[in-house]
Amino acid sequence: MLAIAESSVLFGLAAFGVRVEVQIARGIPSFDVVGLAEAAVRESRVRVKSALAQVGVDLSEYRVVVNLAPADVKKRGASFDLAIAGATLAALGLVPQEALSGVLLLGELSLNGAVHRTRGALSHLRGAHERKVPRAIVPAGNAEEAALVAGMDARCVSSLAELLEVLSGRADASLPASRAREPAALLREDLSDVRGQPAARRALEIAAAGGHNLLMVGPPGAGKTMLARRVAGVLPALTAEESLDVIAIHSVAGLLASGGAPAYGERPFRAPHHTASDVALVGGGDQARPGEVSLAHHGVLFLDELAEFRRSAVEALRQPIEDGHVIVARAQVTARFPARPMVVAATNPCPCGYQGDASGRCGCSAERVRAYRARLSGPLLDRLDVHVVLPPVEVSHLQSTARGEPSAAVRARVEKARDAQRARYLAGETTAPTNVALGTRDLGRVCAVDEAGNRLLAAAVDRLGLSARAYGKVLRLARTIADLEGSTALSAPHLAEAIGLRVLDRGAPSASRAA
Ligand SMILES: Nc1ncnc2c1ncn2[C@@H]1O[C@H](COP(=O)(O)OP(=O)(O)OP(=O)(O)O)[C@@H](O)[C@H]1O
Ligand SMILES: [Mg+2]
């Protein structure tokens, strides 16, 4: 007899529907899996046979052929086990075929019949919902994800015995308990903890308002890491769709199980170590996993000690940051992951960190400082829009009992500025919902500069030697500064502040310069 179950395979976050056909006949015992199945999929026969034996189904007198269709799509992973087992039960006449139609089956079996959680369940479920598959049965370990897809009847089982009960109509699969948590990180670390550093706070606010990437330069202990950790807290709340994207990426990376994923509604904060490999940063490897730049999608990618990162790794980040996605290729399979984080980088001004310090404690030779700076220049630096130099924290600020402005107040201004940008985008005035992504033609339309502004820009190009790219960045930043102010017009003060945020275009960063 022939029976059919529905499952799917993932390419990046995209789920591709797979029909699992099982043909069973009496004969010399065999169990074959065909249909462009990789090793882990072919091994499912061992797991499925053993798990079926646990519920009293003996296949020793049957010839079983499993066909995964369409045959031209590569099948990988162990998540077909449940569909293969379900279709086998139907082919044996132990459960009705109708119980399987319109139901996505997903999950890996262990030899004793337990159903293990699977990576990427949320992406499988969203894909099934798009294909108009109305129901799903997934591992109990994926309950959190099953609760997230609105309009999908997703249920959970924890063993093959339970699946058998459910498919034969003797029991209901359990409903996933919705564990949607309050977004916590926004409240955990607040800007009110940061003393002084007005220039850095202002730069952070502008960067967040326009989605610009931020570079902080300063001596050890000035608060760079502290500020970076608070960027996500001033960004607007995620939409439901954005939240699902974030969780889907962490699910594919296998980070949901370990608790290493943001809660629903929470923006991710990723801070890879400077020794991280190219693959760790951009993604790839045997399993085509997402890298840090994708895990930080919709959140913050913090590159601490930027000068210490390997050149090749930084180079590898360039393309994704520009394109907003990563394409990971491995034998015959390509996976596409979104990658639109806000990049926040931090560095010391010199190897010892105290270059420009009033105490004169910096002992770095001019040659060493030059070599250190040289590591900072180049492709990635070009993409860091806002530069800010942090002086050491003044002792009077540390001694003061006054707290800094809280994140919520800053977030309110950022949200307003972002609303203005979105309104222009929705009205068709621009091609991007945030200023950081404005195209050249957009700049002409929404960054019209008056005469005084033009004179200022001309002087900046002349004296500071701004490149054409830096010129465009100044315009985008000025647009954001005007949006924060609620101004539709771009005027000279906006441009002047924007030019001041491009310190590195003027050459060497130094703490004394900012003072
Ligand atoms: N502006 C500040 N306000 C209050 N506390 C601060 C400030 N700057 C630093 N600190 C204190 O110093 C600690 C170290 O700060 P942080 O790690 O942010 O420094 P950093 O600039 O990243 O230094 P490094 O260059 O060594 O990485 C913080 O945990 C905090 O306790
Ligand atoms: Mg630090």
Side-chain angles (χ1 to χ4, degrees), residues 193-195 197 218-226 304-305 348 393 398:
D193 306 330
V194 179
R195 302 291 169 84
Q197 302 299 13
K224 301 182 297 294
T225 300
M226 218 181 159
D304 205 359
E305 322 288 352
N348 294 330
V393 191
L398 289 176

Side-chain angles (χ1 to χ4, degrees), residues 40-215:
V41 183
R42 290 197 304 271
E43 283 165 4
S44 69
R45 62 189 172 170
V46 180
R47 295 186 295 271
V48 169
K49 258 187 350 199
S50 168
L52 282 170
Q54 296 294 316
V55 294
V57 177
D58 179 9
L59 292 175
S60 62
E61 286 169 20
Y62 295 97
R63 213 156 47 82
V64 182
V65 180
V66 178
N67 179 36
L68 304 173
D72 58 350
V73 175
K74 201 145 193 153
K75 322 294 183 313
R76 46 202 196 97
S79 63
F80 293 106
D81 290 2
L82 214 58
I84 294 173
T88 305
L89 289 171
L92 287 168
L94 295 172
V95 305
Q97 167 68 52
E98 301 81 68
L100 292 176
S101 46
V103 184
L104 176 84
L105 284 180
L106 201 66
E108 176 187 336
L109 283 168
S110 78
L111 298 180
N112 69 4
V115 177
H116 288 305
R117 67 181 297 147
T118 181
R119 286 172 197 264
L122 180 54
S123 299
H124 283 288
L125 289 166
R126 287 170 102 187
H129 189 53
E130 270 165 31
R131 293 195 306 276
K132 308 249 183 301
V133 176
R135 297 194 294 136
I137 298 178
V138 303
N142 294 105
E144 196 169 341
E145 294 158 82
L148 289 175
V149 184
M152 177 116 204
D153 181 7
R155 306 284 179 122
C156 304
V157 293
S158 50
S159 68
L160 184 59
E162 210 179 319
L163 181 73
L164 180 60
E165 291 285 293
V166 170
L167 293 179
S168 52
R170 289 194 291 271
D172 256 345
S174 53
L175 275 171
S178 164
R179 267 186 274 157
R181 289 164 283 174
E182 273 291 299
L186 297 181
L187 312 168
R188 261 202 317 269
E189 292 182 278
D190 201 280
L191 271 179
S192 60
D193 306 330
V194 179
R195 302 291 169 84
Q197 302 299 13
R201 293 179 69 110
R202 172 72 178 160
L204 185 154
E205 178 171 336
I206 293 168
H212 307 283
N213 299 324
L214 172 68
L215 172 65

Side-chain angles (χ1 to χ4, degrees), residues 7-18 38 41 73-80 104 106 118-128 131 142 145 247-254 287-290 328 330 332-337:
S7 198
S8 59
V9 62
L10 286 187
F11 297 97
L13 299 188
F16 204 94
V18 171
E38 284 189 0
V41 183
V73 175
K74 201 145 193 153
K75 322 294 183 313
R76 46 202 196 97
S79 63
F80 293 106
L104 176 84
L106 201 66
T118 181
R119 286 172 197 264
L122 180 54
S123 299
H124 283 288
L125 289 166
R126 287 170 102 187
R131 293 195 306 276
N142 294 105
E145 294 158 82
I247 295 178
I249 295 167
H250 285 78
S251 171
V252 168
Q287 302 290 321
R289 293 274 157 76
V328 178
R330 66 186 266 280
Q332 300 171 43
V333 176
T334 57
R336 187 180 190 281
F337 293 108

